[in-house]
């Protein structure tokens, strides 16, 4: 006769959910999303106009000051100018950063994030370091000096305030 009908597997919604819905055990989420560039409009503008500046700032912090912001930014600019493939260089720093801070990779591997969304990835990495307490404008050495002095997240002193209103 006929063979017995095979039992159809039942659909389990929980099994079908992406394994990236929550970070893997021990991994942290990014503090901001990949496409939240306008959370820091100033950085977004700088990154769009001259991504080598943002990359240099990120690389200086991620490499813990072993290569200066200017050196890293110049290398990135040279790679972009000669090959147009700066994303292959910058994705290495995303991987280093994720390893150092135990960040979840997300839905896409680092090279694909940088290949498809280079500027958004740089902005996200910049915001992540900033949200972790780094002043991105002063570099690794100055951040460590501040940390050693116990200064965290304070404002840098600028010009003295001037009174508002008419004065003679």
């Amino acid at each position: 006769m006929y063979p017995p009908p095979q039992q159809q597997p039942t659909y389990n919604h929980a099994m079908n959910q992406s394994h990236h819905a929550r970070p893997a055990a021990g991994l942290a989420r990014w503090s901001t999303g990949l496409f939240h560039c306008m959370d820091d409009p100033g950085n977004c503008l700088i990154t769009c106009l001259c991504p080598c500046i943002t990359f240099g700032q990120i690389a200086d912090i991620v490499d813990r000051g072993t290569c200066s912001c200017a050196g890293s930014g110049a290398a990135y600019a040279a790679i972009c100018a000669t090959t147009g493939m700066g994303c292959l260089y910058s994705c290495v720093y995303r991987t280093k950063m994720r390893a150092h801070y135990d960040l979840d990779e997300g839905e896409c591997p680092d090279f694909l994030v940088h290949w498809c969304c280079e500027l958004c990835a740089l902005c996200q990495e910049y915001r992540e370091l900033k949200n972790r307490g780094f002043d991105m404008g002063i570099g690794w050495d100055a951040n460590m000096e501040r940390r050693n002095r116990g200064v965290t997240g304070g404002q840098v002193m600028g010009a003295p305030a001037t009174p508002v209103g008419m004065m003679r």
Side-chain angles (χ1 to χ4, degrees):
M1 297 232 126
Y2 298 104
Q6 300 233 344
Q7 186 175 13
Q8 294 292 326
T10 58
Y11 180 75
N12 184 343
H13 181 70
M15 289 175 51
N16 193 37
Q17 293 194 4
S18 169
H19 68 284
H20 293 292
R22 280 184 267 146
L27 295 180
R29 292 179 188 258
W30 290 82
S31 60
T32 62
L34 180 62
F35 301 109
H36 294 176
C37 298
M38 291 308 292
D39 286 357
D40 187 339
N43 172 252
C44 182
L45 180 63
I46 289 170
T47 304
C48 287
L49 296 176
C50 192
C52 57
I53 294 172
T54 301
F55 176 77
Q57 292 173 320
I58 293 166
D60 185 28
I61 301 294
V62 172
D63 277 344
R64 297 176 179 221
T66 59
C67 189
S68 71
C69 172
S72 297
Y76 178 82
I79 292 169
C80 288
T82 58
T83 66
M85 301 300 285
C87 61
L88 297 179
Y89 182 46
S90 60
C91 75
V92 171
Y93 283 85
R94 185 178 185 88
T95 302
K96 285 182 183 182
M97 188 172 150
R98 280 191 323 93
H100 184 71
Y101 294 109
D102 294 324
L103 293 167
D104 185 40
E105 187 173 43
E107 291 80 17
C108 296
D110 296 334
F111 78 90
L112 195 55
V113 170
H114 273 265
W115 178 267
C116 297
C117 306
E118 173 73 356
L119 301 180
C120 293
L122 290 174
C123 287
Q124 182 187 35
E125 293 157 17
Y126 179 97
R127 289 189 312 273
E128 185 67 32
L129 292 170
K130 189 175 176 182
N131 290 342
R132 288 178 179 272
F134 289 100
D135 181 340
M136 298 301 288
I138 64 173
W140 174 261
D141 293 332
N143 272 290
M144 291 303 101
E145 184 180 317
R146 274 188 176 183
R147 193 167 284 172
N148 291 337
R149 286 185 297 150
V151 178
T152 56
Q155 291 185 338
V156 178
M157 290 198 48
T162 55
V164 179
M166 293 177 40
M167 297 189 67
R168 285 201 147 168

